[in-house]
Amino acid sequence: MMQNITITKESDARGSFCPGPLMELIRQVRLAQVGDVIAVISSDDGSKKDIPAWIAKAKQEFLGMEEIGGATRFICRKIK
Amino acid sequence: MKQIVVLGGGTGGTLVANLLAKKLKSKEAHITLVSASNRHLYQPGWLYVPFGRQDPRTLSRPMASLLRKRVKLVIGKASQLDTESQQISLEDGQSLHYDYLVIATGSQVAPEDVPGFSEGAQHFYTEEASFKLHAALEEFRGGKIVVGVGGLPYKCPVAPLEFTFLLDEYLTHRRIRDKTEIIYTFPLNRVFSIESVAEVAQPLLEQRGVTIETFFNLEEVVPEEKLARSLEGTELNYDLLIMVPPHRGAKFLQGHPIADEQGWVKTDRSTLEVKGCSNVWALGDTTDLPISKAGSTAHFEAPVIVERLAARLRGANNDQIPEEYEGHVMCFLETGYGKASMLNFDYSHAPEVAEPSHLVHYEKMVFNKAYWYLVPTGVL
């Protein structure tokens, strides 16, 4: 599924404890156009809970996550 | 002789210029620092101005008094950067050539990025705004105060928490705390991005009767209705709205090929080299790195840039230079009533938060006064 997605903008937030990967994702989603696909890479295990929770709360579309060498890439589409 | 230009007279720029002047022999390079202002501002002090605990006049010093003698100071605002011809243009028409460039132009508040912010919200992120908020708080007699983060990214991530703790103390001393509801908002699903900090801060907020509203990313302020609306659909009424405004990079960098549309410079997280420009570095708030925008970040990045630039100037290749930035950040966390804690972390180590104490608060007070002698000068 992930291979067919074209990412518009990706941020590497590995090792970012403050402000952290979710804050970076929110920033990128706010800057993006509706339809853009935003990815953020996080090495923080807490992101697996926090990021999908915010995407659901903000009524955006969570496209999935994938493991990449000790970190996780989270992918979100801006739909509104 | 090689020309080194440092753009920006904040903590990062001033420190880099002074460390370069110390490191390099005078025959090796000319060092020029370009600052938009002839004053160096100690921005962390603005936190205390709204509560009448700090005189804003004590929070600036003349730039020239903080620089080593061999650093040439140019007062002017950069308007254009051409990385091909290695030229910087200033708004007053001056043009400067560089062989090596360090960009430390920092961040600026952009309240205009949130509709209604300028008309409806207060903040403490400029000299003027912190003094204006002082007046608003002095006139406040009770009601609902909403505090929080009004846009991302923002500078000094713990400041909204610190402000809330100090606000509770201030209102208690004025005997109007029982007539005031304080609502603390935060963009994430906890009271701070770092879980260990949130675990210390949330019980303190609850003990002090602060209402917590998480997942609140300010979308719009409606001043005529005294209403703050979030991206997530939450609406909060207020009598006084105190929000950290959104920030942007310097104007000449917004949309520049080396930066993103907000003006944050695309920077390598280890070498601090600007991507695609081997003779340009960036530090502090200026970069697009998703790490704390804070003076301490610039403080720990500056020696890395100085070592790398000096080695390059002396003929080394990038792979021969061992110094790298490892994400080190250190900051105080005021918790009110004369107590504070401290956070210390890097790319590999999450912060451990100590129990707030009077000792750390006094350390912060001493640091605020000693800053001028220790940080921009490169003593510490």
Side-chain angles (χ1 to χ4, degrees), chain B residues 85-265:
Chain B
S85 64
Q86 302 181 182
Q87 292 282 336
I88 299 148
S89 306
L90 305 185
E91 282 181 358
D92 64 6
Q94 284 187 74
S95 184
L96 300 168
H97 169 78
Y98 65 83
D99 296 297
Y100 300 98
L101 174 67
V102 179
I103 310 176
T105 40
S107 57
Q108 55 189 42
V109 297
E112 65 278 8
D113 283 357
V114 175
F117 190 109
S118 301
E119 301 80 15
Q122 302 259 1
H123 66 90
F124 53 96
Y125 271 64
T126 64
E127 271 180 308
E128 297 82 357
S130 62
F131 201 59
K132 195 174 150 213
L133 178 54
H134 171 60
L137 281 176
E138 289 287 292
E139 288 167 14
F140 186 75
R141 295 287 176 266
K144 190 188 279 189
I145 302 182
V146 176
V147 182
V149 178
L152 303 175
Y154 70 98
K155 187 157 41 184
C156 194
V158 294
L161 259 184
E162 294 185 290
F163 185 89
T164 305
F165 290 130
L166 295 175
L167 177 65
D168 167 67
E169 183 185 351
Y170 167 85
L171 295 170
T172 303
H173 285 158
R174 282 194 50 208
R175 299 175 192 279
I176 54 172
R177 180 67 184 91
D178 56 345
K179 295 178 188 157
T180 308
E181 183 187 3
I182 302 176
I183 301 179
Y184 171 84
T185 72
F186 200 68
L188 309 187
N189 52 343
R190 50 179 171 265
V191 300
F192 194 66
S193 47
I194 303 170
E195 210 153 0
S196 56
V197 177
E199 282 166 7
V200 170
Q202 181 156 340
L204 286 175
L205 290 168
E206 286 166 353
Q207 277 167 29
R208 294 174 196 182
V210 174
T211 306
I212 295 165
E213 180 69 48
T214 55
F215 271 157
F216 189 94
N217 284 281
L218 186 68
E219 180 84 340
E220 181 187 21
V221 179
V222 189
E224 51 278 14
E225 294 175 37
K226 294 210 161 192
L227 184 78
R229 192 173 282 138
S230 79
L231 171 74
E232 294 82 3
T234 308
E235 293 189 341
L236 295 173
N237 285 105
Y238 64 85
D239 294 299
L240 186 56
L241 179 64
I242 304 165
M243 285 277 166
V244 177
H247 285 65
R248 282 176 174 258
K251 202 170 174 188
F252 78 99
L253 291 169
Q254 292 174 22
H256 191 284
I258 64 163
D260 65 17
E261 59 269 45
Q262 288 184 306
W264 309 117
V265 174

Side-chain angles (χ1 to χ4, degrees), chain A residues 14 16 18 27 30 50 54, chain B residues 218 232 262 269 290 292:
Chain A
R14 276 176 278 201
S16 168
C18 181
R27 182 177 87 85
R30 298 195 72 156
D50 297 345
W54 178 78
Chain B
L218 186 68
E232 294 82 3
Q262 288 184 306
R269 60 193 245 133
S292 301

Side-chain angles (χ1 to χ4, degrees), chain A residues 2 5 7 11 14 19-20 26-28 30 32 35 37 43 47 52 54-59 61-62 65 76-77 80:
Chain A
M2 309 292 264
I5 297 168
I7 293 170
S11 285
R14 276 176 278 201
I26 296 171
R27 182 177 87 85
Q28 294 294 352
R30 298 195 72 156
V37 175
S43 52
S47 295
W54 178 78
I55 293 171
K57 173 84 176 171
K59 299 183 176 64
E61 186 183 1
F62 182 49
M65 54 186 172
C76 165
R77 180 182 282 122
K80 67 180 208 110

